[in-house]
Amino acid sequence: MSRSYKISIIGSGRVALHLSRALEDAGHQIVEVYSRNIGNATKVTERLYGAKPVNSLDFSFSKSKVFFIAVADDALSDIAGRIILPENAIVAHTSGTGGLAVLHKFPFSGVFYPLQTFSKQRKISFTTIPLCLESDNKEALRVLKEIGNSISKSIYFLNSEKRKSLHLAAVFASNFTNRMLAISKEILEGQGIDYGILDALVSETVNKALEGDPKVMQTGPAARKDFKVMKEHLKLLENKAEWKNIYKVISEDIANNS
Amino acid sequence: MSRSYKISIIGSGRVALHLSRALEDAGHQIVEVYSRNIGNATKVTERLYGAKPVNSLDFSFSKSKVFFIAVADDALSDIAGRIILPENAIVAHTSGTGGLAVLHKFPFSGVFYPLQTFSKQRKISFTTIPLCLESDNKEALRVLKEIGNSISKSIYFLNSEKRKSLHLAAVFASNFTNRMLAISKEILEGQGIDYGILDALVSETVNKALEGDPKVMQTGPAARKDFKVMKEHLKLLENKAEWKNIYKVISEDIANNS
């Protein structure tokens, strides 16, 4: 068992919820959970052992050593500007796009970005989640690494520039992939076909693409430049201008790279 | 054990290869494998027990009862026009987009479309692959269903119109998803980041999207209309016009549906 830290969580969203649970499971003590809205903070502390919900950013008297800021990207700099921390506290945000610089006024600051998609109602094991760490302070990095190792087997050290590219890659791999599946579900439902018909296909596609090189694995009408089939597909999308557009630009990109 | 049929396979591509193997494993006898190029037919028969490679479409004297046409969509009508079958033979094509009508001159014709992505070098279990059947001939449909049941637990009856929509949905769910992963891999490699960092994220994304409703599960900058992050991402794609375009159209579609 590694050292146990006293930790406060700023934020009450999905990352805050899952991270606080994982930290507690690893033996750390969650002291406080902050949300502007105390009710939201309570929704997180309810699922923890001894954490206190708070709605003030003044942590001058907090017993915590480490503060994780897990808020929406567009709230990050505002929170960073207003939060008051105890002396020598270590503070890290969990954002993929937020730079290290947003915490520049704190001497012991860093980034602790878990690369995963979190849902409120799905339990998730942190063990395999890549944690991307960054700090230009040696002591902060040491502690973040220690905490990281206590919850995950997969620690990466990435500077802000690389982390931004990683986040962009994750948008394609996760958010956009999810949208492709949402579109296919709607197409099927429009025809009264069970969405579950895609299970085996999607699983095999993704296993293949993760084990090998998806560029080489590319199949489908665009990859074989089968313009007749693509034309028929575009016709089926006639009343769906946005999907037609998506179909076109991705097919063009596939055809140009096959 | 169900009845064993004598079957010939027209085509030597991935579907032909995997289907012939699955049929043989289920106790059917593959009599012939056709390819215009006899060497390609041999590559398939080499992996089977007693099948003969042939490069003629005259099957007048074939002992087969059932013929599967598993060729590229754009070769289908040409093959259907030239093939000569024994009397009372049952013939089905395996295409997602080809209609039933392409085989109209044969009395016992149908469609036998396996919804999966096949690779030359990956063994795949047919048991979970949805087989989409269609025929307007009762006897042909009975035999195709019997053969279908011998290799898969998942049989669907879809007319040509529904099958076309299914194929379109599969392009989004499989081909486009694969392209999203290929793009993310290239972005990561450009930064020297290991592509394996995406494994846990992609697996969770896809499990979630298949178990639940991907539209509801949508996360990411576009879903929360975080224009600052999207602008930064577009800047990172400045030298990649096609990907920038893909990013834009999918993000717009997500934002409009979140």
Side-chain angles (χ1 to χ4, degrees):
Chain A
M1 176 73 210
S2 58
R3 186 174 154 194
S4 163
Y5 283 94
K6 289 192 169 61
I7 298 173
S8 292
I9 306 286
I10 317 305
S12 61
R14 294 182 301 245
V15 176
L17 174 67
H18 285 273
L19 178 61
S20 59
R21 279 288 294 266
L23 291 167
E24 211 180 63
D25 289 346
H28 304 290
Q29 186 192 336
I30 309 299
V31 178
E32 294 124 343
V33 174
Y34 163 87
S35 171
R36 200 170 40 178
N37 175 327
I38 195 83
N40 290 341
T42 308
K43 276 182 200 149
V44 177
T45 55
E46 273 170 0
R47 301 215 212 169
L48 299 169
Y49 286 103
K52 192 179 144 198
V54 300
N55 63 357
S56 155
L57 282 169
D58 183 353
F59 291 94
S60 320
F61 300 103
S62 172
K63 284 177 178 161
S64 284
K65 170 76 179 168
V66 182
F67 294 76
F68 285 110
I69 305 181
V71 298
D73 286 344
D74 53 5
L76 182 54
S77 72
D78 173 56
I79 296 275
R82 294 193 294 124
I83 195 169
I84 301 167
L85 297 179
E87 221 177 324
N88 298 329
I90 290 163
V91 58
H93 71 70
T94 62
S95 163
T97 40
L100 180 59
V102 71
L103 298 174
H104 66 93
K105 70 170 181 179
F106 302 104
F108 301 98
S109 63
V111 179
F112 189 96
Y113 168 51
L115 181 65
Q116 186 51 284
T117 171
F118 298 100
S119 318
K120 290 247 157 165
Q121 299 304 336
R122 280 171 74 93
K123 173 106 177 90
I124 199 162
S125 159
F126 252 78
T127 324
T128 57
I129 298 179
L131 298 176
C132 306
L133 309 185
E134 179 184 12
S135 177
D136 48 22
N137 177 278
K138 224 174 143 180
E139 172 63 5
L141 194 60
R142 190 191 63 72
V143 171
L144 293 177
K145 190 183 156 194
E146 197 183 339
I147 295 175
N149 281 326
S150 72
I151 58 174
S152 168
K153 287 187 294 191
S154 180
I155 307 289
Y156 286 77
F157 299 96
L158 298 179
N159 63 28
S160 294
E161 190 202 337
K162 281 186 196 294
R163 192 175 57 256
K164 272 181 200 181
S165 288
L166 170 61
H167 186 238
L168 173 63
V171 167
F172 278 92
S174 174
N175 305 151
F176 289 178
T177 288
N178 184 74
R179 185 64 192 149
M180 296 302 109
L181 295 174
I183 292 174
S184 62
K185 183 166 188 269
E186 271 192 65
I187 293 172
L188 292 179
E189 285 174 350
Q191 293 288 331
I193 303 171
D194 172 27
Y195 171 53
I197 198 172
L198 293 177
D199 282 2
L201 174 67
V202 172
S203 299
E204 171 69 6
T205 300
V206 168
N207 288 341
K208 222 158 87 165
L210 291 178
E211 284 167 29
D213 183 349
K215 197 172 165 181
V216 175
M217 305 278 177
Q218 189 68 54
T219 58
R224 18 169 232 282
K225 301 181 175 65
D226 187 335
F227 297 104
K228 194 176 153 246
V229 167
M230 287 191 264
K231 229 172 128 179
E232 280 185 47
H233 283 167
L234 291 173
K235 221 178 138 189
L236 288 174
L237 294 170
E238 224 153 41
N239 299 318
K240 285 285 191 180
E242 285 191 322
W243 297 356
K244 199 171 164 177
N245 221 350
I246 291 174
Y247 187 99
K248 270 188 196 165
V249 294
I250 302 179
S251 291
E252 257 175 52
D253 188 46
I254 291 175
N256 290 338
N257 285 282
S258 296
Chain B
M1 175 71 208
S2 58
R3 186 174 154 194
S4 161
Y5 283 95
K6 289 193 168 62
I7 297 172
S8 291
I9 305 287
I10 317 303
S12 60
R14 293 181 301 243
V15 176
L17 175 68
H18 285 273
L19 178 60
S20 59
R21 279 289 294 267
L23 290 168
E24 212 180 62
D25 289 346
H28 303 290
Q29 185 192 336
I30 309 298
V31 178
E32 294 125 345
V33 173
Y34 163 87
S35 172
R36 201 170 39 181
N37 175 327
I38 194 83
N40 289 343
T42 307
K43 276 180 199 150
V44 178
T45 56
E46 273 170 2
R47 301 216 213 168
L48 300 168
Y49 285 105
K52 194 179 143 193
V54 300
N55 63 356
S56 155
L57 282 169
D58 183 353
F59 291 96
S60 322
F61 299 103
S62 172
K63 285 178 180 160
S64 284
K65 169 77 177 167
V66 183
F67 293 77
F68 285 111
I69 305 182
V71 298
D73 286 343
D74 53 4
L76 181 54
S77 71
D78 174 55
I79 296 273
R82 293 195 292 125
I83 195 169
I84 302 166
L85 298 179
E87 222 177 322
N88 299 326
I90 289 164
V91 58
H93 71 68
T94 62
S95 163
T97 41
L100 180 60
V102 71
L103 298 174
H104 65 93
K105 71 170 181 178
F106 301 104
F108 301 97
S109 62
V111 179
F112 189 98
Y113 169 50
L115 181 65
Q116 186 50 285
T117 170
F118 298 100
S119 318
K120 292 247 158 170
Q121 300 301 336
R122 280 172 73 93
K123 173 105 176 93
I124 200 162
S125 160
F126 252 77
T127 324
T128 58
I129 298 180
L131 298 177
C132 306
L133 309 187
E134 179 184 12
S135 177
D136 46 23
N137 178 277
K138 225 175 144 180
E139 170 64 6
L141 194 61
R142 190 191 64 72
V143 171
L144 292 177
K145 191 183 157 195
E146 197 184 339
I147 294 175
N149 280 326
S150 72
I151 59 175
S152 167
K153 287 188 292 193
S154 181
I155 307 289
Y156 287 77
F157 299 95
L158 299 178
N159 64 27
S160 293
E161 191 202 335
K162 282 185 195 295
R163 193 175 57 256
K164 272 181 201 182
S165 288
L166 170 61
H167 186 236
L168 173 63
V171 166
F172 278 92
S174 173
N175 304 150
F176 290 177
T177 289
N178 183 74
R179 185 64 192 151
M180 295 303 108
L181 295 173
I183 292 174
S184 63
K185 184 167 189 263
E186 270 194 64
I187 293 172
L188 292 178
E189 285 174 349
Q191 293 288 332
I193 303 170
D194 174 26
Y195 171 54
I197 199 171
L198 294 177
D199 280 2
L201 173 66
V202 173
S203 299
E204 172 67 5
T205 300
V206 168
N207 289 340
K208 221 159 86 168
L210 290 179
E211 285 167 31
D213 184 349
K215 196 173 166 180
V216 175
M217 305 277 177
Q218 189 68 55
T219 60
R224 19 171 231 280
K225 300 183 175 63
D226 186 335
F227 297 104
K228 194 175 153 247
V229 167
M230 286 190 265
K231 227 172 127 181
E232 280 185 47
H233 283 167
L234 290 173
K235 219 176 140 192
L236 288 175
L237 293 171
E238 223 152 43
N239 299 319
K240 285 283 191 180
E242 286 192 321
W243 297 355
K244 200 171 165 178
N245 221 350
I246 290 173
Y247 187 100
K248 271 188 195 165
V249 294
I250 301 179
S251 291
E252 257 175 54
D253 187 46
I254 291 174
N256 289 339
N257 286 282
S258 295

